[in-house]
Amino acid sequence: MTAPKRSPRSFPNRDGYSGRGRPSKPLITKSAVVETALSLVDEKGPDALSMRQLAQRLGLDAVSSLYNHFKNKTEIKAAVARRVVADIPRPRKGEVGSGWMLAAVVAYRRALIAHPHAISLVVETMPRSFAAANFDRATAAMRESGVGPDRILTLLDALEALAVGSAITSTTHAALRPSDAEEWTLATEHLMLDDSERFELSCRVLIENLYTAMR
């Protein structure tokens, strides 16, 4: 009589994962994945972000653990984008639209400059898709202040484009200055404001003028 065959045992690896499907419970936290992904993007750029690279950074033997929190790399990229802009102030109910917009766009630019390699990733994932509540409150505040609904998008587009463009220019400023342009050099030598101050001044003028013109 032959003995019944035993099913081969699966021994867990150093992550506690036996190799059969996804782990029964997450081996890492969602926030750890996002922070590690952002660190990878900061160091090597968004093209370096892959499930395999991320797993290696987190000390995992397999990428399976990542799927406990995210369906795919696209979701991770969106989470990284949200993390970059997480500190942008949210408009409170009844808050004046123009005041919040200035603070928000300044904070947005500051966040992009802090993570220059993630700028394209943030733009690619469209801030309005993961910060819909903020844009909705801003829209409501502007409408209540008298800005026409058909003009609100124009103002938001202008501020967003200004913030992204300024962040890109500021992070590559040295490379953009021509060494043989005398008038340019003379003008930069007499600057009274730094990049951040000039950006805030530009936004203030844009908001005040457009906000008034669009009522």
Side-chain angles (χ1 to χ4, degrees):
M1 181 175 179
T2 58
K5 293 183 178 180
R6 295 182 179 180
S7 300
R9 296 178 62 188
S10 295
F11 294 94
N13 61 18
R14 63 190 175 92
D15 302 322
Y17 172 53
S18 66
R20 294 182 172 183
R22 298 182 186 181
S24 57
K25 71 178 185 177
L27 306 173
I28 48 176
T29 64
K30 189 171 185 176
S31 61
V33 176
V34 175
E35 292 298 329
T36 303
L38 177 57
S39 176
L40 182 59
V41 170
D42 282 342
E43 291 178 26
K44 299 184 177 182
D47 291 340
L49 182 59
S50 69
M51 302 300 270
R52 185 176 298 277
Q53 283 285 330
L54 199 49
Q56 290 177 353
R57 287 265 179 140
L58 289 163
L60 303 173
D61 288 334
V63 301
S64 305
S65 295
L66 299 175
Y67 293 106
N68 280 289
H69 301 296
F70 301 96
K71 292 180 181 178
N72 48 44
K73 189 174 74 172
T74 300
E75 285 196 353
I76 294 178
K77 289 168 67 176
V80 170
R82 284 193 295 271
R83 167 63 181 79
V84 170
V85 300
D87 294 331
I88 294 178
R90 298 180 179 181
R92 295 183 295 271
K93 187 175 181 180
E95 187 174 19
V96 177
S98 59
W100 170 79
M101 278 190 291
L102 179 60
V105 74
V106 168
Y108 182 39
R109 174 184 177 272
R110 188 185 306 120
L112 295 178
I113 290 176
H115 303 280
H117 286 159
I119 292 177
S120 61
L121 192 153
V122 172
V123 174
E124 174 189 337
T125 51
M126 295 295 292
R128 293 177 201 180
S129 68
F130 55 74
N134 283 2
F135 282 99
D136 191 58
R137 290 179 184 177
T139 299
M142 284 188 284
R143 183 170 46 78
E144 291 171 2
S145 296
V147 179
D150 59 326
R151 306 292 182 88
I152 292 174
L153 186 60
T154 299
L155 181 54
L156 292 177
D157 281 343
L159 290 173
E160 187 176 340
L162 184 59
V164 172
S166 178
I168 293 174
T169 301
S170 294
T171 54
T172 57
H173 203 59
L176 294 175
R177 291 184 177 179
S179 58
D180 58 345
E182 295 182 4
E183 292 298 329
W184 175 280
T185 301
L186 182 63
T188 57
E189 288 177 352
H190 290 80
L191 286 175
M192 301 298 292
L193 303 174
D194 62 24
D195 286 351
S196 296
E197 291 170 331
R198 293 201 308 276
F199 172 76
E200 184 170 346
L201 177 61
S202 298
C203 288
R204 191 182 300 277
V205 171
L206 177 64
I207 291 171
E208 291 178 353
N209 281 275
L210 286 181
Y211 209 78
T212 301
M214 291 180 177
R215 289 180 180 230

